[in-house]
Amino acid sequence: MKNLKLYSEVTLNLDLQSEEEAILFSAIDIERDRLFFASSGNRVYTAQLASFQNDEAWTSTSLPAEVDIIDLESGDCITSFDYLMEKEALVLGTLNGLIILHSVDASTTEIVGRVDGGVSCISPSPDGDLLVIITGFGQLLVMAHDWDLLHETTLEDFPEGADVLEHSVSSGQMLESSISWRGDGKYFATLSESCNSPPSHKRLKVWERDSGAAHATSDMKAFIGSVLDWMPSGANIAAAYDRSKENECPLLVLFERNGLERSSFSIDDRMDVTVVMLKWNCDSDLLVTVVRCENYDFVRIWYCSNNHWYLKQEIRYLSQEGLKFMWHPTKPLQLICWTLSGRSTTYNFCWNTAVTENSTAFVVDGSRIHVTPLSISLLPPLMYLFSIKFSSAVRDVAFHFKSSRNLLAVGLSNGCLCILELPQIDAWEGLEGKEYSADACLSEKLFRSLLHLIWLDSHTLLSVSHYGVINGKYHGQNGLSGYHLEEIELVCSEDHVPSLMTCLGWHAKTIHGIPLQRPVISIASDPAKQSSSVIQFDGGNMFTYTSKSCIQGGAMKRCDFNFLSSCLWMSLVPIGGTSSESLPFGLDDMGRLQVSGKVLCNNCSSFSFYSNRGDQVITHLIFATKQDLLFVVDTSDIFHGDVESKYENFIQVGNKRRDQENRKYINIWERGAKIIGVLHGDEAAVLLQTTRGNLECIYPRKLVLASIVNALAEQHFRDALYMVRRHRIDFNVIIDYFGWQAFVQHIPEFVKEVNNLNHLTEFICAIKKENVTERLYKNYIALPYINETKDEEARELKGFDPDNKVSSVLLAIRTAIQGQLPESPARELCILTTLARSDPPALEEALERIKVIREMELSSFDDPQRISFPSAEEALKHLLWLSDSEAVFEAALGLYDLNLAAMVALNSQKDPKEFLPFLQELQRMPAVMMQYTIDLKLKRHENALKHIASAGDAHYVDFMNLIKKNPQLFPLGLLLTTDPTKRNQVLEAWGDHLNDSKCFEHAATTYLCCSNLEKALKAYRSSGSWSGVLAVAGLLQLGKDETVQLAHELCEEFQALGKPGEAAKIALEYCADVKSGVGLLITAREWEDALRISFLHRREDLIYEIKSASLECGGSLISEYEEGLEKVGKYLTRYLAVRQRRLLLAAKLRADERSMADLDDDTASEASSNLSGMSAYTRGTRTGSTASIVSSAAGSKARESRRQRNRGKIRPGSPDEEMALVEHLKGMSLTNGAMRELRSLLICLVMLGEQEIARKLQRTGETFQLSQIAAVKLAGDTMSTDIMDEREQTLERYFHKARGELQNSEVFSWRCKVFVSP
């Protein structure tokens, strides 16, 4: 669904040397961009193709050319002409049989050979190695590039013994033939006559390059002249059949290499026309024919899609001009036409989508336009809703779908302009299958060539018109000539009927014109300004034009923005808001998608725009890349300049195809598919057309979610739910987008608008805990600002839990259903669904409702409400379908309703042997014991305890056993026990449980509550609480000796446990042993307390012992700090070396990855990226590698356990070495206990007069601590950057920096200021 648009037409005249001279042949030099013409006067004209492309071409009429004369004998003339790229010269064949090589640069002519009968045709092979010549006698000569004859044969099939020369002379004329090579040069095709066939019948022959033998031959057919061309891709050979004897128009036929006819199509014209030329373009997708009738030559461009040939363009010439043409060898959409008089015209085309902004397709096919409203039905290509027929072929189409009017402007190849007003799209279904004829509008003049036809408003057109080229001379109308920007006013004399098509009564008048000095590339209407458009000139320069009917209109004004290059496809998108400006989007032929002079993507192939709003404000840009990736970009990101941060570079993203979680593109499944349009609003679809012509419709997740979000924002809940169901989106997006608390407030409106219990049930079953907008769809939608204040109405709901999404939403839905929807069986089932899907499931409440239904069924009188409820069995089966049958059975038991439990068991298809004996046993029990038994089975121990307690003293043993088996019941057991004796038994049992659970202090307290002092003392002793033990000993009234003995035992126990400080307190307070107490304080390194006790008891011996121990400890610490300082330097040096090595390796890997990313996906190896992001210092956590090793779970656990054991060890060369070094440096810091002991030791040394030792100890410790802090800081700074600075990142620099910053910090509070160094 695309149309071929003519966007540039440049005509120049070649100044011939004489009036009688005519141009006969042409050739092109693609390397030097030169165009050659051979004339009937034996002259060669050389012109530059650049002459058609410069700005002067629009104002000039002459084609500059150099002239060379080919000196031939009198009566001799040029009969064939081509350019040999390898020899950089022209090869000419003459009537007398001369083969001439002419060098234009050197102006030399060389006769390289001569053949009998004259030269009919010369054709070099595509690679230039061979030259095929057909003589006038029908001889086929194959020559090498050095003019050696390789093969010679005859085109015609002569009987054995027949004289070829005699037959050729008797015919009296030179054989007319043509040669066409296949693109790879292995074969070439010719059309030849047979001696035994009618003159009009010919045979197509395919020849082999290497042997010169005929490879295949077709049947004799009535071919037209020598019209023949082989598709460059090699698939088909095009020719034409003459069907005048059948009173039908000519037929274009496609042959295969084997000479068999593959397909054909009619040119759909009168029977008296003939095909004089045909040629494929270099991409093999367009076929141009020249169809000649009595008065005109028609240049027709055909395009095949879905096995149907569309006539996409038609250009008219007068028959006497003798039209000929050629395609540009490398530009598939540039056509060069020339006439006998030397008038040369280059036509530049581009493909435009046939789908308009409102998703309506207008496909051009000759003189018809096939109309398909894709928003109503996605009809596949070749099919359409209705068609419009015109008097001649369509050249340009313009659409206007605004202000409730649907207008269509069509420019025809005969210079006429047609205007149609279509009915509203809703009324188009009545037009199905019809064909309407449109008449040309009335005007004072013939518009001739109309380029870039657009609508300014509903009654004004704007176009570029070209005046006056007839027979090589300019004949302007009303004094106009050249190219003009024209504003055309339209008036309709017929009243439009909304449901009918208005094709008649249109009048057109040119009201304003501006001469143009530069080529116009494209024109686009400005949706943000009334009756305004933007005109893009060659090079990307843009001007605005406002209609003359507006104030200060009718003139062009330079825009503030330009494109970087000429963009053939341009669109204007309004910025929105209060701004009246539009943002220009353009795509050039190199694939650069530009926005206001900036390149958005460098490899774009097609783009379109999407709107999910009713006001048609553009919300998304959709474009496809040449790597067959489709991107959906928010226009707000483009307006705010956030594209690079969110989407990175589109080429690099496209090469990271394994990053499934964060990918922001869609893989287009068929190579070369293009975007042709979108379906706006709730449809949220992108239309793609493949190279085969098939139409595909996809629904990008981002567009679908944007439509759903827009519907939610406008509170169109039914539309949002419909889109979620249709596109299989998680239902929770409706709940989570604005927050489930906010959704709860709108649930009554949601239920009322949906009003479909089946849809509500489906919605209820899909509700889950997680927030899907934060995980599943986080890359597709931006979360809005959510007000944290909750509505009090939701809180007033009974059972509302602000921390439970599922239950709270289902509660609100259940309340809304009960209040808004009428009673019905379906409503009751929906309510049961809300109860079953709650978290946790409210099965008991659901069973209560079923119980009520069953009681209604069992009641003797007829209740009129009975018809509003399903049967109890149906309701129960519905509940069982939604829930676990065992859980429902247990919930029924929990209601202590045995009949209901039996009903559940039967409907859940349980074996009666499993449940019937149990239910019968329960039925025989007393009510309390039945409830107790059920509670035990359901593990409802609190209820079971209450029931067994109410059963009396006969079941006291069961009461105690239940408490002992379930210790959490001890508090409830105390509340249920009033007898003091039984209460003490419960407490003692609780204490035993706590003692067995190693909760000794709690056990001791519990024992004290029941006055069991012996067990309390043991519990305190087991907990290590010597104060509690000695306190309970006082309660037991132990003697002094027993107490001292107990204190000695405790002191020894605490020494064995490694708690000398606690043992010292016991020795000093209860044993009165000063020497042992001071010794224990020294062991605990509590120097100040040890010195204080010694001075208290005036023990000089102990003071000396403290001094010796403190000096020894100080020296040991000095040695440790010096050794630690050396380790800090060694570890830091190793860390910096490892870090620098890893950065170098990572940089090398990134460079290799970037070089691989620049390759095309088809040529890059899939295995090349398996090591991307990996180095010797990173763990291999990749997934999806082709070289992955599958290991057992046991092996994985073994490796993990080894990793845990080795954690903290530094293994040189391992991936964890870098982090292990940093962690080791951090682990060398002084702990709070070490700093406290160090300060105590410093004070003790000062008191004992050892100031020098104390000063040395403090300085050594301070140096170590500063070095360790500086090393950790240096390591942290290097980890946060990829840049290493050997001069700045040194331990010495960081050491001095730490000294200055941390001099008065808390970490150095252990120091004595008297020893602080300056």
Side-chain angles (χ1 to χ4, degrees):
M1 288 188 173
K2 57 184 180 179
N3 294 328
L4 191 64
K5 176 184 177 181
L6 174 63
Y7 73 88
S8 176
E9 174 185 349
V10 180
T11 301
L12 296 175
N13 283 327
L14 188 65
D15 295 330
L16 302 181
Q17 299 296 311
S18 65
E19 295 183 358
E20 295 80 11
E21 193 175 8
I23 299 297
L24 301 178
F25 305 99
S26 66
I28 192 169
D29 176 12
I30 192 57
E31 286 187 343
R32 301 176 63 178
D33 211 22
R34 294 185 298 181
L35 190 61
F36 304 102
F37 296 100
S39 71
S40 59
N42 297 333
R43 293 184 179 89
V44 174
Y45 295 84
T46 305
Q48 296 293 327
L49 279 174
S51 302
F52 293 93
Q53 301 169 3
N54 54 36
D55 294 343
E56 291 77 11
W58 272 53
T59 57
S60 175
T61 61
S62 178
L63 176 61
E66 298 178 0
V67 183
D68 290 343
I69 299 177
I70 307 298
D71 189 11
L72 299 178
E73 298 177 358
S74 177
D76 198 4
C77 63
I78 300 174
T79 56
S80 59
F81 184 76
D82 213 327
Y83 181 77
L84 298 179
M85 190 176 297
E86 287 69 21
K87 294 185 177 296
E88 296 184 354
L90 293 167
V91 59
L92 298 86
T94 70
L95 182 63
N96 293 340
L98 296 180
I99 303 175
I100 299 174
L101 192 66
H102 176 73
S103 175
V104 176
D105 298 330
S107 298
T108 59
T109 302
E110 178 186 0
I111 299 176
V112 296
R114 184 167 187 159
V115 295
D116 295 333
V119 178
S120 175
C121 182
I122 292 180
S123 179
S125 63
D127 57 7
D129 289 342
L130 298 181
L131 190 71
V132 176
I133 300 174
I134 297 178
T135 68
F137 291 158
Q139 293 293 106
L140 181 67
L141 308 179
V142 181
M143 295 183 177
H145 67 279
D146 54 358
W147 311 109
D148 291 337
L149 183 62
L150 302 178
H151 311 289
E152 181 177 3
T153 186
T154 60
L155 286 178
E156 301 180 13
D157 299 325
F158 294 100
E160 293 185 8
D163 189 352
V164 177
L165 179 59
E166 179 181 354
H167 181 270
S168 301
V169 173
S170 64
S171 63
Q173 59 181 359
M174 179 182 289
L175 176 69
E176 181 183 1
S177 183
S178 61
I179 303 170
S180 182
W181 287 86
R182 199 171 76 169
D184 58 2
K186 291 185 178 181
Y187 301 92
F188 61 91
T190 63
L191 274 178
S192 60
E193 299 176 356
S194 177
C195 62
N196 297 324
S197 63
S200 61
H201 283 60
K202 298 181 182 180
R203 194 191 305 272
L204 183 144
K205 286 188 176 182
V206 178
W207 306 83
E208 295 179 357
R209 164 200 178 107
D210 297 331
S211 63
H215 175 76
T217 304
S218 72
D219 296 333
M220 297 296 295
K221 294 289 184 180
F223 289 94
I224 299 178
S226 59
V227 177
L228 177 71
D229 194 47
W230 201 325
M231 185 183 289
S233 64
N236 296 312
I237 306 170
Y241 283 168
D242 182 7
R243 299 193 297 173
S244 58
K245 293 183 179 180
E246 292 85 3
N247 294 326
E248 294 183 6
C249 62
L251 189 71
L252 296 181
V253 189
L254 302 180
F255 290 89
E256 296 181 351
R257 191 190 70 187
N258 55 15
L260 298 179
E261 183 178 330
R262 180 174 183 177
S263 61
S264 62
F265 63 97
S266 173
I267 64 173
D268 195 17
D269 211 324
R270 298 177 302 178
M271 59 169 291
D272 59 344
V273 301
T274 183
V275 178
V276 296
M277 284 188 69
L278 59 79
K279 189 72 175 177
W280 296 98
N281 69 339
C282 60
D283 278 356
S284 302
D285 60 344
L286 294 178
L287 177 64
V288 174
T289 62
V290 175
V291 179
R292 179 165 296 168
C293 67
E294 183 179 356
N295 298 320
Y296 293 100
D297 284 353
F298 300 97
V299 179
R300 293 179 175 174
I301 304 179
W302 301 86
Y303 172 73
C304 184
S305 179
N306 276 51
N307 294 323
H308 176 74
W309 286 90
Y310 293 87
L311 177 56
K312 287 300 183 181
Q313 277 288 346
E314 181 181 275
I315 305 171
R316 288 193 176 191
Y317 281 81
L318 296 177
S319 297
Q320 60 266 28
E321 292 187 84
L323 172 67
K324 293 187 179 180
F325 72 89
M326 70 170 69
W327 282 106
H328 193 285
T330 59
K331 298 179 181 179
L333 295 178
Q334 185 178 93
L335 183 67
I336 303 172
C337 296
W338 46 272
T339 64
L340 296 176
S341 61
R343 178 163 67 93
S344 302
T345 305
T346 59
Y347 298 96
N348 294 295
F349 300 93
C350 66
W351 284 110
N352 276 4
T353 175
V355 181
T356 62
E357 296 176 358
N358 70 339
S359 307
T360 303
F362 292 87
V363 181
V364 174
D365 187 8
S367 60
R368 291 178 175 84
I369 292 181
H370 300 160
V371 184
T372 305
L374 299 174
S375 58
I376 297 178
S377 177
L378 290 175
L379 294 177
L382 296 185
M383 300 179 66
Y384 49 88
L385 187 68
F386 65 93
S387 64
I388 306 172
K389 183 175 176 57
F390 301 90
S391 59
S392 64
V394 176
R395 292 194 63 181
D396 202 0
V397 183
F399 321 98
H400 179 80
F401 294 97
K402 296 179 181 177
S403 304
S404 302
R405 299 190 66 182
N406 298 332
L407 297 171
L408 180 66
V410 180
L412 305 180
S413 62
N414 61 2
C416 294
L417 178 65
C418 294
I419 307 296
L420 299 92
E421 184 164 5
L422 307 177
Q424 293 300 314
I425 294 182
D426 297 340
W428 282 18
E429 293 184 2
L431 309 179
E432 184 176 358
K434 297 181 180 180
E435 181 173 281
Y436 294 89
S437 297
D439 294 339
C441 60
L442 302 178
S443 61
E444 299 176 354
K445 64 176 182 179
L446 198 62
F447 289 100
R448 301 194 59 81
S449 176
L450 291 177
L451 302 178
H452 309 293
L453 187 65
I454 68 162
W455 288 87
L456 288 177
D457 51 47
S458 59
H459 59 274
T460 310
L461 288 172
L462 187 67
S463 71
V464 175
S465 298
H466 184 207
Y467 287 102
V469 180
I470 300 176
N471 296 329
K473 298 182 180 180
Y474 283 87
H475 297 280
Q477 300 183 18
N478 297 328
L480 298 178
S481 63
Y483 294 89
H484 287 72
L485 181 67
E486 287 191 340
E487 185 176 344
I488 304 172
E489 185 181 46
L490 302 172
V491 178
C492 184
S493 59
E494 299 286 339
D495 294 332
H496 175 65
V497 179
S499 60
L500 299 178
M501 185 179 301
T502 303
C503 306
L504 304 174
W506 289 95
H507 299 264
K509 179 181 179 181
T510 302
I511 60 174
H512 187 60
I514 300 176
L516 299 174
Q517 305 298 322
R518 299 182 60 189
V520 174
I521 299 301
S522 61
I523 304 178
S525 60
D526 190 346
K529 296 179 181 179
Q530 184 179 3
S531 302
S532 180
S533 64
V534 173
I535 302 170
Q536 180 194 174
F537 290 93
D538 190 23
N541 297 318
M542 292 196 282
F543 290 76
T544 60
Y545 177 85
T546 305
S547 175
K548 189 179 181 182
S549 59
C550 300
I551 300 176
Q552 296 180 352
M556 289 191 296
K557 180 181 177 182
R558 183 179 292 275
C559 295
D560 297 332
F561 45 79
N562 293 311
F563 289 137
L564 301 177
S565 58
S566 298
C567 293
L568 303 179
W569 301 272
M570 180 176 70
S571 295
L572 296 177
V573 175
I575 296 177
T578 58
S579 175
S580 61
E581 299 295 328
S582 296
L583 203 62
F585 288 78
L587 176 64
D588 61 16
D589 54 0
M590 300 296 293
R592 293 187 298 178
L593 180 59
Q594 304 179 36
V595 183
S596 294
K598 297 181 180 179
V599 177
L600 184 65
C601 178
N602 284 313
N603 62 336
C604 177
S605 61
S606 55
F607 71 99
S608 186
F609 296 96
Y610 167 78
S611 172
N612 60 16
R613 303 178 184 176
D615 54 3
Q616 294 299 312
V617 175
I618 299 301
T619 58
H620 293 83
L621 164 69
I622 302 103
F623 66 90
T625 67
K626 296 178 181 178
Q627 283 75 31
D628 298 315
L629 305 176
L630 187 139
F631 289 88
V632 180
V633 182
D634 294 284
T635 53
S636 59
D637 294 336
I638 300 174
F639 297 154
H640 300 144
D642 298 335
V643 175
E644 293 184 2
S645 61
K646 290 188 177 182
Y647 299 90
E648 301 179 359
N649 184 287
F650 294 105
I651 297 179
Q652 294 180 2
V653 172
N655 282 307
K656 296 177 181 178
R657 297 199 175 193
R658 295 174 182 85
D659 192 4
Q660 297 293 327
E661 181 180 355
N662 297 319
R663 76 175 191 178
K664 298 179 179 179
Y665 57 87
I666 299 172
N667 286 310
I668 301 176
W669 57 95
E670 186 159 344
R671 181 185 295 271
K674 301 292 183 65
I675 300 173
I676 62 170
V678 300
L679 299 181
H680 298 280
D682 294 347
E683 290 296 328
V686 176
L687 303 175
L688 300 174
Q689 189 165 27
T690 64
T691 54
R692 296 176 287 109
N694 289 15
L695 188 64
E696 303 289 347
C697 182
I698 65 172
Y699 300 87
R701 184 65 55 87
K702 188 170 185 177
L703 295 186
V704 171
L705 288 170
S707 298
I708 294 171
V709 167
N710 185 61
L712 292 175
E714 297 176 355
Q715 296 188 12
H716 296 164
F717 296 111
R718 184 173 61 182
D719 296 338
L721 184 65
Y722 172 76
M723 287 185 282
V724 165
R725 294 181 69 253
R726 178 184 178 188
H727 297 288
R728 299 183 180 180
I729 302 296
D730 196 313
F731 284 91
N732 288 269
V733 74
I734 298 177
I735 304 173
D736 297 333
Y737 182 72
F738 289 105
W740 67 265
Q741 294 89 347
F743 177 73
V744 167
Q745 304 171 20
H746 299 287
I747 281 180
E749 294 88 349
F750 173 79
V751 172
K752 182 178 180 180
E753 187 174 344
V754 173
N755 197 22
N756 187 312
L757 289 170
N758 290 332
H759 293 174
L760 286 175
T761 303
E762 187 179 4
F763 176 78
I764 290 167
C765 293
I767 298 175
K768 52 189 175 184
K769 295 180 182 179
E770 67 173 328
N771 188 335
V772 296
T773 60
E774 295 178 355
R775 182 190 63 84
L776 190 61
Y777 302 127
K778 65 178 181 179
N779 294 328
Y780 299 104
I781 54 177
L783 297 180
Y785 170 76
I786 300 176
N787 192 353
E788 294 296 333
T789 60
K790 309 294 189 301
D791 193 357
E792 294 299 328
E793 295 181 3
R795 294 179 178 272
E796 292 176 358
L797 290 173
K798 184 179 178 181
F800 179 82
D801 185 358
D803 298 324
N804 192 326
K805 165 190 168 182
V806 176
S807 295
S808 299
V809 172
L810 291 177
L811 173 62
I813 293 176
R814 185 163 60 251
T815 304
I817 291 175
Q818 291 174 337
Q820 296 189 9
L821 300 184
E823 290 184 347
S824 66
R827 192 193 81 156
E828 185 64 23
L829 295 179
C830 189
I831 293 174
L832 291 176
T833 305
T834 63
L835 295 170
R837 301 299 295 182
S838 296
D839 184 26
L843 297 178
E844 292 187 359
E845 185 177 350
L847 289 171
E848 289 284 1
R849 299 183 70 92
I850 296 175
K851 186 176 180 181
V852 171
I853 297 174
R854 190 188 63 169
E855 292 175 354
M856 292 173 58
E857 292 176 346
L858 296 177
S859 61
S860 58
F861 61 90
D862 293 333
D863 190 345
Q865 291 185 348
R866 176 68 190 87
I867 60 174
S868 300
F869 293 89
S871 65
E873 185 177 1
E874 180 185 358
L876 184 58
K877 287 182 177 180
H878 182 77
L879 182 64
L880 289 170
W881 178 71
L882 292 169
S883 309
D884 179 37
S885 60
E886 188 63 31
V888 178
F889 178 72
E890 292 179 354
L893 284 176
L895 295 177
Y896 310 117
D897 189 333
L898 300 183
N899 293 327
L900 183 62
M903 183 179 176
V904 171
L906 289 172
N907 282 278
S908 60
Q909 298 181 352
K910 278 194 170 187
D911 189 352
K913 295 180 180 179
E914 297 179 4
F915 68 89
L916 193 57
F918 175 68
L919 293 179
Q920 291 173 347
E921 181 182 357
L922 291 175
Q923 194 172 14
R924 290 191 294 268
M925 293 181 180
V928 175
M929 293 307 296
M930 178 194 72
Q931 294 172 352
Y932 167 71
T933 305
I934 290 175
D935 291 335
L936 281 183
K937 177 177 177 60
L938 301 182
K939 298 182 180 180
R940 299 192 302 193
H941 299 108
E942 291 185 2
N943 291 339
L945 188 64
K946 293 177 182 178
H947 289 137
I948 198 65
S950 63
D953 295 339
H955 298 280
Y956 179 70
V957 176
D958 295 331
F959 176 83
M960 289 300 299
N961 291 336
L962 181 60
I963 293 178
K964 291 178 181 179
K965 291 180 180 179
N966 301 278
Q968 73 275 12
L969 298 178
F970 276 112
L972 180 61
L974 287 176
L975 292 177
L976 297 175
T977 306
T978 57
D979 183 76
T981 304
K982 294 179 180 179
R983 186 179 181 86
N984 287 337
Q985 292 177 359
V986 173
L987 287 171
E988 185 176 357
W990 196 356
D992 293 341
H993 166 71
L994 293 173
N995 192 67
D996 295 339
S997 302
K998 309 298 181 182
C999 300
F1000 299 112
E1001 290 189 1
H1002 295 292
T1005 305
T1006 306
Y1007 286 138
L1008 290 174
C1009 290
C1010 62
S1011 301
N1012 195 332
L1013 300 180
E1014 291 80 5
K1015 286 188 176 182
L1017 188 143
K1018 293 180 180 179
Y1020 274 127
R1021 193 164 186 175
S1022 299
S1023 69
S1025 175
W1026 59 271
S1027 58
V1029 172
L1030 294 173
V1032 174
L1035 292 175
L1036 289 172
Q1037 297 181 356
L1038 297 179
K1040 183 176 181 181
D1041 294 340
E1042 292 177 343
T1043 303
V1044 172
Q1045 179 64 30
L1046 179 62
H1048 279 292
E1049 293 176 359
L1050 290 173
C1051 186
E1052 292 176 359
E1053 289 178 5
F1054 278 97
Q1055 289 183 58
L1057 292 174
K1059 297 180 179 180
E1062 300 293 327
K1065 291 180 181 180
I1066 299 173
L1068 291 172
E1069 295 180 10
Y1070 286 89
C1071 301
D1073 190 348
V1074 176
K1075 183 175 182 181
S1076 298
V1078 171
L1080 291 170
L1081 288 173
I1082 293 174
T1083 304
R1085 293 194 177 186
E1086 296 181 5
W1087 304 101
E1088 294 177 86
D1089 288 342
L1091 197 60
R1092 177 179 60 79
I1093 297 299
S1094 299
F1095 283 133
L1096 176 65
H1097 295 280
R1098 302 183 181 279
R1099 297 286 300 270
E1100 295 294 333
D1101 56 333
L1102 296 179
I1103 294 173
Y1104 179 76
E1105 184 178 349
I1106 293 173
K1107 183 176 182 180
S1108 300
S1110 62
L1111 289 174
E1112 182 181 357
C1113 182
S1116 176
L1117 287 176
I1118 290 172
S1119 300
E1120 289 181 9
Y1121 290 147
E1122 290 176 347
E1123 183 180 356
L1125 185 63
E1126 182 180 355
K1127 288 183 178 180
V1128 166
K1130 181 176 69 173
Y1131 291 152
L1132 182 63
T1133 302
R1134 174 62 180 171
Y1135 165 77
L1136 293 176
V1138 172
R1139 175 71 178 172
Q1140 189 169 13
R1141 179 185 172 191
R1142 192 194 68 80
L1143 291 177
L1144 292 174
L1145 183 57
K1148 184 177 182 299
L1149 288 173
R1150 283 195 299 270
D1152 295 341
E1153 186 175 349
R1154 281 195 299 270
S1155 63
M1156 292 302 299
D1158 292 336
L1159 297 176
D1160 187 81
D1161 292 337
D1162 295 328
T1163 57
S1165 170
E1166 286 295 330
S1168 63
S1169 59
N1170 284 339
L1171 295 178
S1172 298
M1174 299 296 294
S1175 69
Y1177 303 97
T1178 57
R1179 289 181 182 173
T1181 59
R1182 303 187 313 277
T1183 59
S1185 172
T1186 56
S1188 60
I1189 300 175
V1190 180
S1191 59
S1192 64
S1196 300
K1197 292 180 180 179
R1199 287 195 298 271
E1200 183 63 26
S1201 62
R1202 286 197 301 269
R1203 187 179 295 113
Q1204 294 291 339
R1205 288 197 303 271
N1206 294 330
R1207 183 164 293 173
K1209 296 182 181 180
I1210 303 176
R1211 298 171 58 194
S1214 68
D1216 297 328
E1217 181 183 5
E1218 189 176 339
M1219 292 304 300
L1221 289 168
V1222 175
E1223 293 299 325
H1224 206 80
L1225 285 173
K1226 292 180 180 179
M1228 295 177 69
S1229 62
L1230 292 179
T1231 63
N1232 292 331
M1235 289 189 286
R1236 185 172 60 253
E1237 293 175 2
L1238 184 58
R1239 180 173 178 80
S1240 178
L1241 179 59
L1242 289 173
I1243 294 174
C1244 179
L1245 289 173
V1246 170
M1247 288 182 177
L1248 295 174
E1250 299 294 338
Q1251 290 90 348
E1252 292 300 323
I1253 296 296
R1255 180 180 288 106
K1256 184 177 181 181
L1257 176 61
Q1258 178 170 314
R1259 290 182 178 178
T1260 306
E1262 180 183 5
T1263 302
F1264 166 75
Q1265 190 175 11
L1266 283 172
S1267 298
Q1268 187 269 337
I1269 293 174
V1272 171
K1273 176 65 175 174
L1274 176 55
D1277 291 347
T1278 54
M1279 289 181 67
S1280 61
T1281 180
D1282 292 340
I1283 301 175
M1284 298 286 291
D1285 190 344
E1286 296 181 356
R1287 293 181 298 178
E1288 294 292 332
Q1289 295 170 342
T1290 60
L1291 180 60
E1292 182 179 0
R1293 183 179 294 274
Y1294 274 76
F1295 178 87
H1296 293 295
K1297 185 178 180 181
R1299 179 189 288 274
E1301 294 176 351
L1302 303 175
Q1303 191 65 241
N1304 299 318
S1305 67
E1306 190 69 23
V1307 295
F1308 289 102
S1309 59
W1310 59 270
R1311 299 180 306 176
C1312 297
K1313 288 188 177 295
V1314 69
F1315 298 139
V1316 175
S1317 57

